[in-house]
Amino acid sequence: MKEKLKEIHFSSMTVAILTIILGILMIAFRSGMLYALARIIGAVIAIVGIVQLIRNLTDDAHILGLTVLYIVITALGLWMLAFPKPITNFIPIVIGIFIIFHGADTIRMSLRGKEVKAPKWGLMLFSGVLSILIGLICIVRSEWFLSAGMVLLGILLIYDGVSALFVTGKVSSLERVVDSTAKDLD
């Protein structure tokens, strides 16, 4: 259980740091960042398609339908890599979804903080709810973010990452206090 919690905390910290970096890049490079993200998404999809295609073809019982599916996925990824413009319209929506999931994770961590009697778990909960609302705004107002809101989107990502770092750090330290207190009682 303890190792699983460490793994969750490490994963949360890594995602939070990557979110902050992405936010900084969004502010620094604005429109160029949209094309870079579209190309990165295309590359990831192409790599996943190729890996799955190889896995399917090297399997003794490879399925023709899956082979065709993985070829289509690879082609889609390569198309996105070569022609990122159509994909850029969806980037604020994808980031909004990411922020919503991150907010839900923050809420989960705040509830964990409540279990270990964290003094400011309500603030953590508020931060998670705020992240979800920000994610919804990114989705609903995606066209605005494409035209004028890249800096704001970067700021929102930085906020989301910093709040996640705060929540994860707070819950980790409180869990250590609870563990040490439990050992003292034994």
Side-chain angles (χ1 to χ4, degrees):
M1 173 74 168
K2 200 173 196 179
E3 289 301 315
K4 182 68 174 167
L5 286 174
K6 283 183 183 179
E7 190 176 304
I8 290 170
H9 292 300
F10 177 76
S11 173
S12 295
M13 297 289 264
T14 302
V15 169
I17 290 168
L18 291 174
T19 302
I20 293 168
I21 292 170
L22 181 60
I24 292 168
L25 291 173
M26 290 289 235
I27 292 169
F29 299 109
R30 292 184 199 113
S31 64
M33 197 61 194
L34 282 174
Y35 289 104
L37 286 173
R39 285 193 169 104
I40 290 169
I41 292 168
V44 168
I45 290 173
I47 290 168
V48 166
I50 291 168
V51 167
Q52 293 295 348
L53 180 63
I54 292 169
R55 178 190 274 164
N56 187 50
L57 291 175
T58 57
D59 188 5
D60 290 336
H62 67 272
I63 301 168
L64 180 62
L66 286 178
T67 301
V68 172
L69 175 66
Y70 297 140
I71 289 171
V72 169
I73 289 172
T74 302
L76 175 66
L78 293 173
W79 175 78
M80 289 170 66
L81 194 57
F83 304 103
K85 176 90 172 103
I87 304 308
T88 59
N89 296 333
F90 297 104
I91 288 178
I93 294 169
V94 171
I95 290 174
I97 292 168
F98 170 78
I99 291 173
I100 288 170
F101 280 116
H102 213 235
D105 189 50
T106 301
I107 290 171
R108 182 185 59 78
M109 294 291 280
S110 71
L111 295 176
R112 179 72 177 127
K114 180 183 178 188
E115 288 175 10
V116 296
K117 309 230 183 310
K120 296 183 181 176
W121 70 269
L123 185 60
M124 294 182 231
L125 180 66
F126 175 75
S127 175
V129 170
L130 185 60
S131 290
I132 290 174
L133 291 174
I134 289 169
L136 289 171
I137 291 169
C138 288
I139 292 169
V140 173
R141 297 296 312 241
S142 63
E143 70 285 344
W144 180 80
F145 281 106
L146 286 172
S147 62
M150 290 306 293
V151 171
L152 180 59
L153 189 55
I155 292 168
L156 294 176
L157 285 170
I158 292 169
Y159 157 78
D160 188 56
V162 169
S163 70
L165 281 175
F166 172 76
V167 168
T168 302
K170 207 55 146 160
V171 171
S172 291
S173 64
L174 289 169
E175 284 176 340
R176 282 192 293 276
V177 168
V178 168
D179 284 345
S180 66
T181 304
K183 286 179 186 175
D184 290 343
L185 293 175
D186 289 336

